[in-house]
Amino acid sequence: MATTAIKKKNKTKTKGAAGSSKKSAKYVYFFGSGKAEGNAKMKSLLGGKGANLAEMTSIGIPVPAGFTITTETCAQFYELGSRWPQGLEAQIRANMAKLEKSMGAKFGDRDNPLLVSVRSGAAVSMPGMMDTVLNLGLNSEVVQGLIIKTENERFAWDAYRRFIQMFGDVVMNVEHEVFEHILESKKEQLGVKLDTELDPNDLKDIVRQYKKAYQDHTGEEFPSDPYEQLKKSINAVFASWNNPRAKKYRLLNEISGLMGTAVNVQAMVYGNMGNTSGTGVCFTRNPSTGENKFYGEFLVNAQGEDVVAGIRTPEPLDQMQKKWPDIYKQLVAIRARLENHYKDMQDIEFTVQEKKLYLLQTRNGKRTAAAAVRIAVELVKEKRIGQNEAILRVDPKQLDQLLHPTFNPKQAKKCIVKGLPASPGAATGKVVFNAEDAESWAASGESVILVRIETSPEDIGGMNAAKGILTARGGMTSHAAVVARGMGKCCVAGAGEVKIDYKAKQFSVGGVTVKQGEFISLDGSLGEVYQGQLETIEPELSGDFAKLMKWADQTRRLKVRTNADTPHDSLVARKFGAEGIGLCRTEHMFFEGDRIIAVREMILADNQEGREKALAKLLPIQRKDFEGIFTEMKGLPVTVRLLDPPLHEFLPHEEQNQKEMAGVMNVSVDVIRHKVASLHEFNPMLGHRGCRLGISFPEIYKMQARAIIEAACNVKKKGLKVLPEIMIPLVGMKKELDLLKQDIEDVIADVFESKKTKVPYMIGTMIEIPRAALTADKIAETAQFFSFGTNDLTQMGLGFSRDDAGSFLGAYLEKGIFEKDPFQSIDQEGIGYLIQLGVEKGRKVRPDLKIGICGEHGGDPASVNFCHNVGMNYVSCSPYRVPIARLAAAQAVIREKQKKK
């Protein structure tokens, strides 16, 4: 999770970098005419876009000249209360003079005008999250000069109306819809559908109406001074670093520690100068599948925002070969050069101005998990990168996309419309039509599909909350497609037959009407939309994924186990590569079927004899459960946690349910009520649970220990190896563990005697109370292994209730108190210190002490890296996160080696 604060310390010490407001500080870096002051290694200072523009310029790629204002300048802008540091304006004017010389035109000049774009560019790619202004430098006089220079009156007025709209929206916060309404009304009045059908006089009238709307909403005339336009636009880009969608994006993508955004001021080239001009976005490989095939889209007679905004549905790149064969040939050559240079799949933006090709951006392309794996493996086959680099190329969290169900192909499906397969996967949910509803419905536990005419960056929260996204407009590189792929969300885009009525909250297509709250299903791999809910099937992992995982397993040192309570979970985890069970929660077994009755009999019993009688009913059930798990794990270690939750969790608290329990158990309701009241605790998390139950009622743990060891002996007799590890929860003092370990060992000795066989076993504890970590050396005298229960250790160490912290954790993340949710990723500074202390103290007493963690932290890549660094033996996580942990563990080894170099 991201902090949205601007970084105010650890300034980059690059020669010439801005650290204070001294005149000697270098705020601006130029690129153009084949030379550049920056390079691709300067992303932290120039942002990804600026660094790559400089790099492309240096290697001879046709890039319009420009200059980059550094990320450090953005940081100073915030430090100075939204003011420019001393010397910035002079450097901008000096670099504008260089740009004028490079382009042979003059900024603000009527006869030979130079227009520029102003774009954001952070060190980490954040597509669509910050702001852009195009065609800057136009005014009533310059537009006339542009008409004379280009001999294209329609183009000039189209550029001017676009500039007013973008400037008004981005810089002055005039709602986008204000301008769209004027444009749509004009087209409706003229009976035309496309912007390209408007003639110069139509566009001139739209400019007049735009200026009036601008003045009505801002209270001032549209600025005619180009430098005033430029300053306001630069300020707007700086300000967009902290706009809500950018902050949300950083939060969702765990981007933190950046100083701000750079600003790229670049000479304009025009894709809207007629049928010999155009604009497009392409990828050097398919970003959905990873196939080594040139992939992308373009629009004739359009500017770049037309493609990414989904305003018009573009043509596939293959069509360019027919329309502009020479341009296509140049683009193919550049594709090869850039991929060879960066040794990764590139996302490229280009413009063709009157048959001349220009590149406006390249960056490492965002891709689906399937594409990331395939590209990484194939780049190794092509000998462009090594295996270690391939392992690092795949974000472990992305693997989640590969590990979830798809639609069962055998079931009947009613396809109501087909769009573009923008982001693969399968999703079923209830239809909603705006981001706010998507977020609120999802927060209430509903699975939702967000349906929009087209998405915009403001929809980021709803897109994240939704299971899938359907848009009526836009292509494979539209906002919806790019963001959905990055999130791993299923997306079908450009389903043009879908007619959406936001007011009525419904959409119709082919005679079918779907209302808000009704189910639809999306297949993002095929681009198909189905009516109703569909059944899903489990994924199969093989091929490139298996190869990458093999490389990871050869590299990592940490073992990866799973949290599993049933034979089925155990089987799933083994398929995903689990090397044992790190947490088998016995209490989950107690809720199944009729066994809850025996558990409740035990709780209602007034004496030890009554409890033992009820536990005798549970013994064969627990034994059978463990036999199934041991059999499925085929000789891998299985850590079984003895009963942990307080007993009141097994009793009903609502009156109707209490009456039903009384009937089943043939007791009065008053008995049930009295028992529930007697077990009530003000703070159950710190109450009568875990080993405290074993101390109070030793017969519970004795029964469980007997079930575990009897099951192990029975499975051994079938010729299978068994490695049970009995884990005692919530230990805070050595004496607790001593007493319970002795009870368990007495039971084990009795079982071995009666079964006439033995199995290897271990007895250990969960370290989840801060005192246990602080006294780990004492506890290690008794425990044969530690498993850090990081969920409870985080609760107790931070003093946060996991169930209640949601009401304020959002603010803590927003304000940068935490960079990540401590219940999702280990708080390494605080809780991590307790863990490190526990490891060191435990190993000092018992050097061969086996140590791991369980809980969802075991599937978090950053936490896995931490566990590697402190010397644990294993991590344990849910079955579907096992591959994530395997890959993260391998990356930890590689990064460790890199640091030592």
Side-chain angles (χ1 to χ4, degrees):
M1 302 298 169
T3 169
T4 54
I6 296 292
K7 193 174 182 181
K8 296 185 180 180
K9 56 184 179 180
N10 298 327
K11 297 291 184 186
T12 304
K13 295 183 180 179
T14 306
K15 185 178 179 181
S20 64
S21 296
K22 295 179 181 178
K23 291 183 180 178
S24 60
K26 186 169 178 63
Y27 301 117
V28 184
Y29 288 70
F30 186 79
F31 56 88
S33 303
K35 296 180 181 178
E37 295 179 314
N39 58 58
K41 295 179 180 178
M42 298 172 69
K43 287 184 179 180
S44 63
L45 185 66
L46 302 181
K49 185 173 293 182
N52 284 330
L53 286 170
E55 186 79 5
M56 285 196 293
T57 300
S58 298
I59 64 174
I61 302 292
V63 173
F67 54 86
T68 301
I69 304 169
T70 67
T71 58
E72 289 185 344
T73 311
C74 180
Q76 289 198 37
F77 174 81
Y78 279 91
E79 290 169 3
L80 295 170
S82 299
R83 289 182 289 113
W84 286 9
Q86 181 182 348
L88 174 59
E89 184 168 356
Q91 289 188 30
I92 288 173
R93 287 182 179 268
N95 278 274
M96 184 62 81
K98 285 186 187 179
L99 180 55
E100 290 172 338
K101 183 177 180 181
S102 177
M103 298 303 294
K106 192 168 180 62
F107 189 53
D109 186 67
R110 181 188 188 279
D111 298 324
N112 188 21
L114 169 67
L115 304 186
V116 298
S117 63
V118 179
R119 289 182 170 96
S120 62
V124 178
S125 177
M126 297 168 56
M129 295 302 108
M130 292 178 290
D131 290 328
T132 295
V133 178
L134 303 180
N135 306 326
L136 190 143
L138 278 170
N139 56 32
S140 298
E141 289 190 8
V142 171
V143 74
Q144 296 299 330
L146 193 62
I147 292 169
I148 296 168
K149 182 179 180 181
T150 63
E151 298 180 350
N152 189 333
E153 186 179 7
R154 189 199 178 282
F155 153 72
W157 285 109
D158 186 48
Y160 199 10
R161 72 96 184 164
R162 288 172 183 268
F163 172 48
I164 297 168
Q165 179 168 342
M166 294 189 82
F167 188 91
D169 178 16
V170 168
V171 179
M172 302 301 291
N173 297 313
V174 180
E175 290 292 335
H176 178 76
E177 287 76 13
V178 171
F179 299 110
E180 278 299 303
H181 177 71
I182 293 170
L183 182 63
E184 292 301 318
S185 296
K186 188 69 174 179
K187 288 193 290 187
E188 188 175 331
Q189 175 192 335
L190 297 170
V192 300
K193 290 185 176 181
L194 301 176
D195 299 358
T196 51
E197 295 177 273
L198 298 171
D199 67 23
N201 287 328
D202 300 331
L203 292 165
K204 188 174 182 179
D205 185 54
I206 288 170
V207 165
R208 179 190 60 78
Q209 292 186 60
Y210 274 12
K211 284 186 174 182
K212 184 178 185 304
Y214 178 95
Q215 186 168 6
D216 289 345
H217 284 80
T218 65
E220 58 187 60
E221 291 186 358
F222 190 80
S224 59
D225 179 357
Y227 274 101
E228 181 187 353
Q229 296 171 358
L230 181 61
K231 183 167 187 176
K232 285 186 172 182
S233 296
I234 290 170
N235 289 349
V237 172
F238 281 154
S240 72
W241 173 251
N242 272 334
N243 71 32
R245 64 178 185 267
K247 289 161 74 173
K248 186 92 170 182
Y249 187 91
R250 293 198 293 275
L251 193 70
L252 295 174
N253 290 278
E254 299 184 359
I255 298 170
S256 62
L258 304 182
M259 288 178 287
T261 181
V263 180
N264 299 287
V265 179
Q266 192 174 15
M268 282 295 304
V269 287
Y270 307 99
N272 58 329
M273 290 188 71
N275 291 331
T276 60
S277 303
T279 187
V281 177
C282 57
F283 297 83
T284 56
R285 300 182 188 225
N286 188 308
S288 290
T289 67
E291 181 185 5
N292 189 0
K293 181 181 178 183
F294 205 14
Y295 172 95
E297 298 169 325
F298 76 108
L299 276 171
V300 175
N301 196 16
Q303 284 198 321
E305 76 269 19
D306 295 341
V307 179
V308 296
I311 293 168
R312 287 164 56 193
T313 299
E315 298 180 65
L317 198 61
D318 291 346
Q319 294 298 312
M320 183 188 283
Q321 193 169 6
K322 299 175 183 176
K323 289 190 175 180
W324 300 330
D326 291 342
I327 297 295
Y328 183 78
K329 187 176 179 181
Q330 291 176 49
L331 196 57
V332 168
I334 288 172
R335 169 210 182 197
R337 286 185 65 191
L338 287 176
E339 192 168 275
N340 284 332
H341 185 79
Y342 287 99
K343 301 186 188 306
D344 200 357
M345 184 265 279
Q346 294 298 292
D347 171 359
I348 301 165
E349 293 180 17
F350 66 90
T351 286
V352 177
Q353 178 178 308
E354 297 182 313
K355 294 188 176 181
K356 184 167 183 180
L357 175 65
Y358 295 92
L359 263 67
L360 306 181
Q361 173 169 286
T362 192
R363 59 188 172 196
N364 291 340
K366 292 194 176 295
R367 63 206 75 178
T368 64
V373 170
R374 179 172 177 178
I375 290 169
V377 171
E378 289 189 354
L379 286 173
V380 173
K381 289 179 185 175
E382 295 163 18
K383 298 187 176 175
R384 300 195 194 196
I385 63 174
Q387 288 184 13
N388 282 356
E389 182 61 31
I391 290 169
L392 292 174
R393 285 283 174 91
V394 181
D395 179 356
K397 286 189 174 180
Q398 257 198 310
L399 295 184
D400 243 351
Q401 297 175 28
L402 299 178
L403 309 178
H404 294 292
T406 54
F407 292 137
N408 185 342
K410 296 180 181 179
Q411 65 191 314
K413 298 188 286 286
K414 181 184 179 182
C415 180
I416 56 175
V417 69
K418 187 173 175 68
L420 298 172
S423 186
T428 294
K430 294 181 177 179
V431 168
V432 293
F433 291 95
N434 60 62
E436 293 76 15
D437 284 346
E439 291 190 76
S440 63
W441 285 39
S444 301
E446 298 280 7
S447 295
V448 299
I449 302 292
L450 179 61
V451 178
R452 302 285 289 162
I453 295 172
E454 66 211 12
T455 63
S456 67
E458 283 74 18
D459 293 323
I460 185 78
M463 295 173 74
N464 182 64
K467 296 293 184 184
I469 299 137
L470 169 64
T471 68
R473 293 206 294 241
M476 298 291 285
T477 52
S478 64
H479 176 267
V482 171
V483 173
R485 280 197 295 270
M487 288 180 169
K489 300 283 182 183
C490 169
C491 177
V492 175
E497 296 173 46
V498 172
K499 305 301 178 189
I500 298 171
D501 185 336
Y502 286 143
K503 189 173 182 180
K505 294 191 174 182
Q506 64 183 37
F507 75 82
S508 57
V509 58
V512 175
T513 298
V514 179
K515 298 180 183 297
Q516 178 160 295
E518 294 180 351
F519 278 97
I520 61 170
S521 301
L522 308 181
D523 189 323
S525 302
L526 299 176
E528 294 183 345
V529 181
Y530 310 106
Q531 196 169 13
Q533 290 178 282
L534 292 178
E535 180 193 352
T536 56
I537 56 172
E538 301 297 324
E540 291 290 334
L541 301 175
S542 58
D544 292 331
F545 178 85
K547 186 164 287 188
L548 183 72
M549 287 294 103
K550 182 180 178 182
W551 294 342
D553 292 341
Q554 291 169 345
T555 304
R556 65 185 168 90
R557 293 200 297 271
L558 269 177
K559 297 288 186 183
V560 179
R561 299 191 189 185
T562 191
N563 305 333
D565 311 323
T566 67
H568 175 264
D569 288 348
S570 305
L571 176 62
V572 170
R574 287 211 64 187
K575 285 184 176 179
F576 286 143
E579 297 163 299
I581 292 178
L583 177 63
C584 176
R585 292 156 288 209
T586 53
E587 62 270 11
H588 288 188
M589 303 170 178
F590 288 171
F591 286 98
E592 293 184 20
D594 293 338
R595 62 184 72 184
I596 188 66
I597 297 173
V599 175
R600 289 171 172 175
E601 283 181 18
M602 184 266 294
I603 295 171
L604 291 178
D606 293 327
N607 51 49
Q608 181 176 335
E609 181 182 358
R611 286 190 293 274
E612 288 179 343
K613 182 179 177 182
L615 289 167
K617 297 178 183 178
L618 286 172
L619 175 62
I621 299 171
Q622 286 254 279
R623 182 171 60 230
K624 185 177 180 182
D625 288 334
F626 296 133
E627 286 175 359
I629 291 171
F630 291 148
T631 300
E632 204 60 71
M633 294 312 290
K634 295 179 171 56
L636 294 173
V638 176
T639 303
V640 181
R641 183 180 71 185
L642 302 183
L643 189 65
D644 183 43
L647 296 179
H648 72 80
E649 288 194 9
F650 299 97
L651 297 178
H653 291 262
E654 294 182 4
E655 185 176 357
Q656 182 58 39
N657 293 334
Q658 289 176 351
K659 288 179 179 178
E660 291 175 5
M661 176 181 166
V664 170
M665 305 195 71
N666 199 26
V667 297
S668 73
V669 177
D670 288 338
V671 170
I672 307 296
R673 289 175 184 155
H674 176 74
K675 178 58 71 172
V676 170
S678 70
L679 294 175
H680 172 74
E681 294 176 305
F682 287 104
N683 194 338
M685 184 191 79
L686 301 178
H688 197 186
R689 53 171 286 223
C691 69
R692 299 159 194 172
L693 288 172
I695 297 291
S696 301
F697 309 117
E699 55 273 13
I700 297 176
Y701 279 9
K702 287 180 180 180
M703 181 278 291
Q704 291 192 297
R706 181 174 294 277
I708 293 166
I709 300 301
E710 285 183 355
C713 291
N714 292 345
V715 172
K716 180 191 175 186
K717 287 180 179 180
K718 295 177 183 177
L720 295 176
K721 185 180 177 182
V722 188
L723 294 172
E725 298 174 350
I726 299 174
M727 183 160 68
I728 300 169
L730 215 71
V731 165
M733 289 157 279
K734 178 178 180 293
K735 188 64 175 175
E736 291 172 319
L737 187 59
D738 289 342
L739 289 170
L740 293 171
K741 184 181 180 184
Q742 186 59 58
D743 284 346
I744 292 167
E745 287 186 326
D746 289 346
V747 169
I748 292 173
D750 184 58
V751 172
F752 286 170
E753 176 66 26
S754 63
K755 293 284 186 181
K756 306 302 180 186
T757 189
K758 293 184 178 182
V759 294
Y761 69 91
M762 298 178 77
I763 299 175
T765 187
M766 289 186 82
I767 304 294
E768 48 194 333
I769 293 178
R771 189 183 193 279
L774 296 171
T775 61
D777 49 345
K778 300 293 183 184
I779 292 173
E781 293 173 5
T782 303
Q784 294 172 286
F785 68 87
F786 286 173
S787 178
F788 283 90
T790 50
N791 294 340
D792 275 354
L793 188 61
T794 297
Q795 290 195 90
M796 297 187 213
L798 291 176
F800 289 177
S801 163
R802 182 172 49 169
D803 298 324
D804 302 315
S807 62
F808 59 84
L809 263 182
Y812 273 54
L813 295 168
E814 183 77 16
K815 296 178 186 298
I817 299 171
F818 283 120
E819 286 192 4
K820 299 179 180 180
D821 183 334
F823 291 107
Q824 295 182 19
S825 191
I826 290 173
D827 161 35
Q828 295 185 22
E829 183 180 36
I831 305 305
Y833 180 72
L834 284 173
I835 293 171
Q836 184 176 353
L837 195 65
V839 171
E840 291 171 355
K841 281 178 165 283
R843 291 255 172 85
K844 190 174 182 180
V845 170
R846 193 186 289 265
D848 63 346
L849 185 69
K850 185 187 287 188
I851 300 176
I853 69 166
C854 54
E856 283 309 293
H857 287 111
D860 168 61
S863 301
V864 171
N865 187 73
F866 170 80
C867 293
H868 168 88
N869 290 337
V870 299
M872 289 192 188
N873 299 96
Y874 70 88
V875 296
S876 187
C877 55
S878 62
Y880 284 94
R881 301 189 86 185
V882 167
I884 295 172
R886 289 163 64 195
L887 184 59
Q891 291 181 349
V893 172
I894 296 167
R895 291 194 183 102
E896 182 181 59
K897 290 178 180 177
Q898 290 175 339
K899 286 180 182 177
K900 289 179 179 178
K901 288 183 180 179

